[in-house]
Amino acid sequence: MRVAETSKHDGGTPATAATAPSVPAAVIPARKRRGANREGLEAGRRSTRTLLWTLLAAAMVLYGFPFLYLLFTSFKTPIDTIAVPPTILPREWTLENYANALGRNGVLASFINSIQTAIISTVLSLLLAVPAAYGITRYKTLSGRIFIMAALVTRMVPPVAIGIPLASMMAAVGLADTPIALSIAHTTISLPLSIWLMSSFFEAVPNDLEEAATVDGCSRLGALWRVVIPVVSGGIAVTAIFAFLASWNEFLFALLMTAIRSQTTPVVIANFQTQFGLDWGSMTALAAVYSIPVILLTLLLQRKIVAGMTLGAVKG
Amino acid sequence: MSTRTFTSRLALGGICTAVALAASACGAGGPANTSGGAGPSTVNVLVEAGGHAELTGVAEQCKKETGVSANFVELPYDGMFNRLSSEFSSGNVSFDVAALDSVWLPSFKNAVQPIDEIFTDEAKKDIFPALVKEANVDGHFIGLPAWTNAEIILYRKDLFEDAKNKADFKAKYGYDLAAPTTWKQYQDISAFFTRDGMYGTDVKGGVETEWLAHVLQAGSPMVLDANNNVVIDNAAHKEALDFYVGLAKAAPSGAAQVDWAAAQNLFNQGKTAMTRFWAHAYRQIPKDSPVAGKVGTAPMIAGPAGVGAVPGPWYLSVPKATKNTEAAKKFVKCAYDYNDKGIESSLGLASRISAFEKYQDKAGYESFKPLIETLTGKATATRPATEKWQQIVDTVLVPMLQKAVAGGDTATLLADAKKQIEDLLK
């Protein structure tokens, strides 16, 4: 403690905190002690907050990097997109890729097809999953339990094994190359997950609520519609988002089942890779545009999603 | 908005949308009927995405001349084989004409119709001999080559014309620096330019056709002989593989992972002085590439058996299951008659010799003369007509090449490959 010694020799001037004489706590007035505690707490909170923000920023960079890289690539010139070693930011910014991608024949139609297919598939999933999950959770029968386990089996089968026969079946019933056919195919993917998700949301709703509604004169269906469904609306929103995303990004079934009338955008995006080369710029530009509706939808339903995720968390 | 209102609106909106769309049962792509026929004067043409551009000019001309219009169904290359298999096996096809990669012809030979009437004597003279042979399966022509390709030599003209490089090269090797015409020259030039962060050439461990071209030049049939015996372990294959692997000294590291895209990328970035590559790449060099305007072209180099390459054609075929045969055949005939229209597309390829010759002296088409010379080369031959070919490539040839360029013993690798291929063909 050379500093402290020097201070003492200089006449005891408290030059630094290190030189301050230690005073018994009882001697410090209570208000002063409380102030010091508060400052300490504040400093602790500040450092915790800084740490959390740093972690959050790091997580965002990690999660967001692939998308950001895709976004930056969409603004690169052709030679920049294939630079070795790759650059993150474009050396020269250009909108040419967007012009190429959006000017491609059939892109707008594919967007409309994607929207149609995703909406129909989402609605079908919800229409089937909500009553199924409600029945399973409320009636708790053995067959219900077997059914919910069996629903997962379809997720274990490779999609291509389902896709090829499904495509043939759709052609046989005259639904080939229609959004309806693709929506039904997509529902086979999203339905099991939707049933499982909705089951967990229904589980979180106490039976008492329905019983109270029936005491007030509601039928079972009335209680479901008027009381239970509004309570699980957040869960429905979450399920809808998952079902929508499953259809929105699905590629294999779309590849096998669509042609001129119903080709969706993931297939069009894949078309930028040909046997003769890969148009990175246009591909990333179209992929960036294609992700916008999903981002908007997620932001729009964000509050509902959070509500859905926390449903049942404070059941008491 | 209350939760209840939100739920009601969500459900109502969804149901209405679903009902409306279900009632229409129609996508945004238009009213074309794709289940088995598109009407008497419209044909649905299934193409790999790159092929659409090649056939657009043909389709426009065909509409004018014959009244047959075309709806194109574009699919990515990787998914096309699955789609074709699925539809051909179900007997319910959504297209009237399909552009088939040459390696798929043996697999789908029973699902497509003969189109012998297009292959007149005159037509046969105007199509590269290897392609005439490949289109003929079991005595019938089942596909019209719509466009074709082959590997030629692309080299950095600016580096080759540089006075210092010329003098240094002459001093070191005793002959003038110029586009290589022998494999010895190719090796020397590759070694010469491998310096200062640059490489003389690339070696592609991820693709098989380039090595197979060396096999043809060495005078052997590739992999299978005329009687379908596996000959992959003969002297020509060994010699070709040793030469191929030897070039790795003048190529970027990691050759096992280099495929077409990587090799094209390296050349366009200015990292390699020469590449053996499909001819279309000449016209696809980006304008902002450091090598744009500085690239020269030369035919594939001859081995003891002459110039040899593996052509990469696509064939237009008419499925047996189509209900629109007449219009489909008219479209295929148009593709022959107006074959040169493909040259004006971004890919810039055709299949008729006369079409390439029409453009060979025009600026921007400098790759055509070497391409014609390569495609008519004495040793040029198409891949063996076996439906197992793609499987042989994916499971045997490419893994073997990757091991070879990584330093494996070539004789052992070829012997193993022979056994594996024989097992596959059993």
Side-chain angles (χ1 to χ4, degrees):
Chain A
M1 296 304 283
R2 187 176 295 166
V3 177
E5 283 164 15
T6 313
S7 299
K8 269 184 195 167
H9 288 300
D10 287 348
T13 314
T16 64
T19 63
S22 62
V23 182
V27 179
I28 302 170
R31 196 192 294 167
K32 229 176 182 180
R33 246 184 8 244
R34 278 201 299 276
N37 282 347
R38 201 176 299 131
E39 274 171 23
L41 273 175
E42 276 301 314
R45 274 189 203 132
R46 266 200 303 275
S47 55
T48 310
R49 213 174 295 146
T50 311
L51 182 70
L52 284 175
W53 274 110
T54 312
L55 285 174
L56 185 65
M60 278 181 71
V61 169
L62 280 176
Y63 274 104
F65 182 75
F67 181 74
L68 284 177
Y69 189 70
L70 176 140
L71 196 64
F72 290 142
T73 305
S74 70
F75 292 108
K76 288 178 182 173
T77 57
I79 200 69
D80 232 7
T81 58
I82 55 170
V84 182
T87 58
I88 293 174
L89 287 174
R91 279 183 281 223
E92 189 187 327
W93 294 75
T94 176
L95 287 172
E96 201 183 328
N97 296 321
Y98 284 88
N100 285 344
L102 298 175
R104 192 185 170 102
N105 197 24
V107 163
L108 180 64
S110 77
F111 257 87
I112 297 170
N113 288 333
S114 283
I115 291 169
Q116 283 183 346
T117 306
I119 289 176
I120 299 172
S121 167
T122 306
V123 171
L124 278 178
S125 291
L126 290 179
L127 285 178
L128 295 170
V130 171
Y134 179 77
I136 290 163
T137 51
R138 283 297 181 262
Y139 293 102
K140 297 195 187 303
T141 59
L142 178 66
S143 56
R145 262 180 252 135
I146 293 171
F147 172 78
I148 199 163
M149 291 308 293
L152 273 188
V153 172
T154 56
R155 304 277 299 178
M156 297 170 193
V157 181
V160 71
I162 304 171
I164 293 175
L166 253 181
S168 301
M169 281 161 61
M170 294 301 173
V173 296
L175 280 177
D177 194 21
T178 62
I180 290 287
L182 189 58
S183 305
I184 293 170
H186 286 174
T187 306
T188 65
I189 303 171
S190 56
L191 189 58
L193 189 65
S194 301
I195 293 174
W196 271 90
L197 273 173
M198 284 312 305
S199 295
S200 66
F201 292 127
F202 280 125
E203 286 280 6
V205 180
N207 273 334
D208 302 354
L209 276 178
E210 274 174 275
E211 281 164 16
T214 39
V215 167
D216 288 343
C218 270
S219 63
R220 185 101 203 192
L221 267 181
L224 170 67
W225 182 249
R226 292 195 172 85
V227 179
V228 181
I229 295 284
V231 172
V232 296
S233 67
I236 293 176
V238 172
T239 310
I241 286 273
F242 275 107
F244 190 89
L245 286 178
S247 174
W248 187 253
N249 293 325
E250 200 282 328
F251 173 71
L252 184 68
F253 286 177
L255 178 74
L256 292 170
M257 299 175 71
T258 66
I260 293 165
R261 290 189 297 171
S262 61
Q263 198 165 70
T264 54
T265 310
V267 181
V268 177
I269 292 173
N271 278 342
F272 286 107
Q273 179 174 17
T274 72
Q275 205 199 14
F276 300 103
L278 172 57
D279 185 354
W280 273 114
S282 304
M283 186 186 249
T284 51
L286 189 53
V289 173
Y290 190 61
S291 60
I292 291 172
V294 178
I295 293 171
L296 289 179
L297 184 70
T298 311
L299 289 176
L300 196 72
L301 293 178
Q302 194 186 25
R303 207 162 53 88
K304 289 281 166 193
I305 292 169
V306 173
M309 292 294 191
T310 53
L311 189 67
V314 277
K315 192 168 74 167
Chain B
M1 194 193 302
S2 71
T3 307
R4 194 166 159 175
T5 318
F6 169 80
T7 310
S8 307
R9 286 186 187 176
L10 185 74
L12 192 67
I15 292 166
C16 290
T17 313
V19 170
L21 294 171
S24 68
C26 177
N33 172 12
T34 58
S35 53
S41 58
T42 304
V43 288
N44 294 329
V45 184
L46 182 67
V47 288
E48 193 241 1
H52 182 189
E54 286 299 291
L55 290 172
T56 301
V58 168
E60 283 166 8
Q61 205 61 34
C62 202
K63 170 98 176 129
K64 264 190 228 161
E65 299 288 326
T66 67
V68 173
S69 55
N71 290 323
F72 287 98
V73 183
E74 289 182 85
L75 290 179
Y77 180 80
D78 289 339
M80 228 178 129
F81 185 83
N82 277 346
R83 177 66 175 266
L84 285 161
S85 302
S86 158
E87 296 206 13
F88 280 141
S89 61
S90 74
N92 202 331
V93 292
S94 65
F95 49 89
D96 308 299
V97 176
L100 305 180
D101 188 351
S102 56
V103 294
W104 301 337
L105 274 186
S107 301
F108 301 134
K109 65 182 180 189
N110 295 323
V112 297
Q113 302 186 35
I115 46 168
D116 295 328
E117 62 276 18
I118 297 174
F119 282 79
T120 58
D121 289 342
E122 194 189 344
K124 279 189 260 188
K125 275 184 212 153
D126 200 17
I127 298 173
F128 294 100
L131 308 191
V132 174
K133 194 176 165 204
E134 188 170 49
N136 191 323
V137 178
D138 299 338
H140 289 289
F141 291 99
I142 59 168
L144 174 87
W147 62 91
T148 190
N149 211 340
E151 276 189 87
I152 59 171
I153 309 286
L154 301 179
Y155 64 94
R156 287 282 300 278
K157 224 167 36 176
D158 57 328
L159 298 178
F160 278 56
E161 286 166 0
D162 179 83
K164 185 170 183 321
N165 285 339
K166 284 170 100 166
D168 290 351
F169 186 85
K170 178 102 189 219
K172 190 168 180 186
Y173 295 100
Y175 61 94
D176 289 330
L177 176 61
T181 54
T182 68
W183 286 116
K184 174 76 178 68
Q185 289 172 6
Y186 194 89
Q187 281 174 319
D188 290 346
I189 298 168
S190 299
F192 178 74
F193 282 114
T194 303
R195 57 189 153 98
D196 307 329
M198 204 174 152
Y199 298 91
T201 185
D202 56 64
V203 171
K204 308 170 187 83
V207 292
E208 81 295 350
T209 40
E210 197 163 294
W211 167 61
L212 292 173
H214 288 294
V215 171
L216 294 172
Q217 291 155 22
S220 168
M222 60 174 100
V223 183
L224 303 178
D225 69 9
N227 301 316
N228 272 351
N229 296 314
V230 183
V231 292
I232 195 170
D233 60 341
N234 68 15
H237 281 81
K238 170 88 169 59
E239 184 192 334
L241 189 54
D242 287 337
F243 174 79
Y244 194 68
V245 170
L247 286 174
K249 283 179 287 194
S253 58
Q257 270 67 51
V258 175
D259 58 7
W260 294 117
Q264 187 176 23
N265 193 358
L266 284 166
F267 188 75
N268 286 346
Q269 293 283 345
K271 306 273 184 196
T272 48
M274 294 186 292
T275 184
R276 295 149 292 171
F277 210 90
W278 300 104
H280 76 276
Y282 177 73
R283 288 174 50 75
Q284 282 197 331
I285 297 168
K287 286 188 187 77
D288 57 341
S289 160
V291 305
K294 300 171 183 170
V295 175
T297 58
M300 179 51 80
I301 296 166
V307 168
V310 183
W314 282 73
Y315 293 88
L316 292 182
S317 294
V318 180
K320 281 180 182 162
T322 179
K323 292 170 187 148
N324 209 0
T325 296
E326 197 187 333
K329 287 194 171 180
K330 270 188 193 168
F331 182 82
V332 176
K333 179 74 168 62
C334 287
Y336 174 77
D337 291 340
Y338 305 108
N339 189 258
D340 59 332
K341 296 286 170 196
I343 290 178
E344 286 157 21
S345 73
S346 54
L347 201 56
L349 291 172
S351 65
R352 288 177 65 176
I353 298 168
S354 59
F356 283 118
E357 284 174 345
K358 190 171 149 188
Y359 284 81
Q360 65 181 345
D361 294 321
K362 291 186 183 172
Y365 297 93
E366 289 79 4
S367 56
F368 280 12
K369 266 186 187 163
L371 180 62
I372 295 171
E373 197 175 322
T374 304
L375 282 168
T376 48
K378 216 164 63 169
T380 294
T382 54
R383 287 161 267 215
T386 166
E387 56 190 77
K388 294 279 178 73
W389 181 249
Q390 197 60 51
Q391 208 179 340
I392 291 171
V393 168
D394 294 339
T395 62
V396 183
L397 299 187
V398 171
M400 185 207 67
L401 272 180
Q402 288 179 319
K403 285 176 196 157
V405 297
D409 177 66
T410 52
T412 312
L413 288 169
L414 289 170
D416 288 348
K418 181 180 184 177
K419 195 173 169 316
Q420 289 175 49
I421 296 169
E422 282 173 342
D423 288 345
L424 276 175
L425 293 175
K426 268 179 196 164

